[in-house]
């Protein structure tokens, strides 16, 4: 009798245990597995070229300079040398790709050249030393990510010293310093190397036309300058200079 009672108790306990485990197993079967969502794709950084910038540049200047001395002698001085200076400008990005801007540059140069001339009437030498070139340009650019391709068009100024010696003696003025005005056409490419910093490469064509200089009577100088430059610019974040622009 007692053995049957013990067996019954064991059977009842087993039934209770099975009943308790069954709902847990059913819940596990009904549970839907969860997976972590895939990572979001990496977004390309958005480059904004709008704002003020300032920088420095370095390069070379190569000139084509033809001189007519007194209407009786023609020769070329063709000054060349290194140049370096600073630029300051402002860009406004009209759309994701197009921008307009304005830029001023000041370059000091060592460009110089000397030519000798002579004929049956007159002979001597003339030296041409260019001191600096300034430009003030409007700028139109095409931006693609961290690249910017641009063109510039505007005014140009140059300052130069001219000195002459004729037949071993001074004929007219021996030297003169003059500032001349012309125009500038340029093209370049700029690359954003890190936030707020960009590097550029640029070509400028400066044309100062034909001017009279008071050395030999009636002397004319016709000057065109080719500049090849590399540079570095620092860009202010929009809204951090003179309020929000």
């Amino acid at each position: 009798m007692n053995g049957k009672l013990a067996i019954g108790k064991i059977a009842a306990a087993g039934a209770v245990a099975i009943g308790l485990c069954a709902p847990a197993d059913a819940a596990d079967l009904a549970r839907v597995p969860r997976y972590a969502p895939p990572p979001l794709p990496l977004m390309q950084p958005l480059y904004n070229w709008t704002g003020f910038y300032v920088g420095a540049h370095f390069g070379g200047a190569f000139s084509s300079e033809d001189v007519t001395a007194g209407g009786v002698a023609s020769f070329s001085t063709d000054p060349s040398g290194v140049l370096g200076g600073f630029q300051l400008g402002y860009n406004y990005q009209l759309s994701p790709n197009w921008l307009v801007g304005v830029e001023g540059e000041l370059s000091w140069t060592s460009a110089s050249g000397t030519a000798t001339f002579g004929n049956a009437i007159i002979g001597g030498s003339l030296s041409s030393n260019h001191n600096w070139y300034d430009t003030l340009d409007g700028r139109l650019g095409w931006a693609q990510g961290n690249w910017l391709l641009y063109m510039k068009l505007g005014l140009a100024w140059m300052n130069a010293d001219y000195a002459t010696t004729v037949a071993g003696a001074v004929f007219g003025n021996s030297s003169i310093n003059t500032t001349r005005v012309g125009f500038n056409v340029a093209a370049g490419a700029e690359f954003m190397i890190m936030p707020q910093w960009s590097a550029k490469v640029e070509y400028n064509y400066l044309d100062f036309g034909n001017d009279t200089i008071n050395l030999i009577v009636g002397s004319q100088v016709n000057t065109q300058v080719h500049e090849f430059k590399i540079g570095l610019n620092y860009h202010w974040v929009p809204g951090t200079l003179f309020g929000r622009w």
Side-chain angles (χ1 to χ4, degrees):
M1 181 76 178
N2 291 335
K4 292 181 179 180
L5 182 59
I7 293 172
K9 288 182 178 180
I10 292 172
V16 171
I18 292 173
L20 291 175
C21 292
D25 293 340
D28 289 340
L29 292 175
R31 186 177 296 132
V32 178
R34 295 182 179 179
Y35 300 98
L40 295 175
L42 295 176
M43 300 296 292
Q44 293 294 326
L46 297 178
Y47 293 92
N48 187 354
W49 292 88
T50 295
F52 289 95
Y53 62 91
V54 65
H57 61 267
F58 178 81
F62 307 90
S63 304
S64 173
E65 189 166 76
D66 299 323
V67 182
T68 301
V72 295
S74 297
F75 53 93
S76 298
T77 57
D78 297 342
S80 62
V82 299
L83 63 81
F86 304 96
Q87 64 269 359
L88 173 67
Y90 179 79
N91 292 321
Y92 181 75
Q93 198 155 343
L94 298 170
S95 68
N97 297 113
W98 290 101
L99 65 79
V100 294
V102 61
E103 182 179 87
E105 281 192 336
L106 173 60
S107 304
W108 291 271
T109 180
S110 67
S112 61
T114 301
T116 59
F117 57 91
N119 56 24
I121 301 175
I122 191 172
S125 65
L126 185 141
S127 63
S128 173
N129 296 294
H130 295 183
N131 299 315
W132 50 258
Y133 309 115
D134 287 358
T135 59
L136 180 62
D137 300 298
R139 196 158 85 144
L140 176 65
W142 169 264
Q144 186 66 45
N146 54 348
W147 278 99
L148 173 65
L149 305 178
Y150 61 87
M151 296 184 63
K152 300 194 303 184
L153 177 64
L155 296 174
W157 296 264
M158 68 169 284
N159 181 268
D161 292 309
Y162 297 98
T164 186
T165 301
V166 178
V170 174
F171 184 80
N173 294 323
S174 61
S175 64
I176 186 173
N177 175 273
T178 183
T179 298
R180 301 168 61 190
V181 181
F183 67 88
N184 177 48
V185 180
E190 199 165 347
F191 182 75
M192 196 74 74
I193 55 178
M194 64 179 69
Q196 297 181 252
W197 288 95
S198 66
K200 72 170 185 175
V201 57
E202 185 178 291
Y203 165 74
N204 288 252
Y205 172 77
L206 288 68
D207 193 330
F208 297 99
N210 199 41
D211 289 329
T212 299
I213 56 174
N214 295 319
L215 290 172
I216 303 169
V217 176
S219 54
Q220 300 280 323
V221 178
N222 192 312
T223 307
Q224 292 78 39
V225 179
H226 305 271
E227 295 180 348
F228 298 90
K229 297 179 289 188
I230 58 174
L232 188 68
N233 285 324
Y234 173 79
H235 300 256
W236 278 277
V237 174
T240 61
L241 186 65
F242 307 130
R244 183 165 299 278
W245 290 78

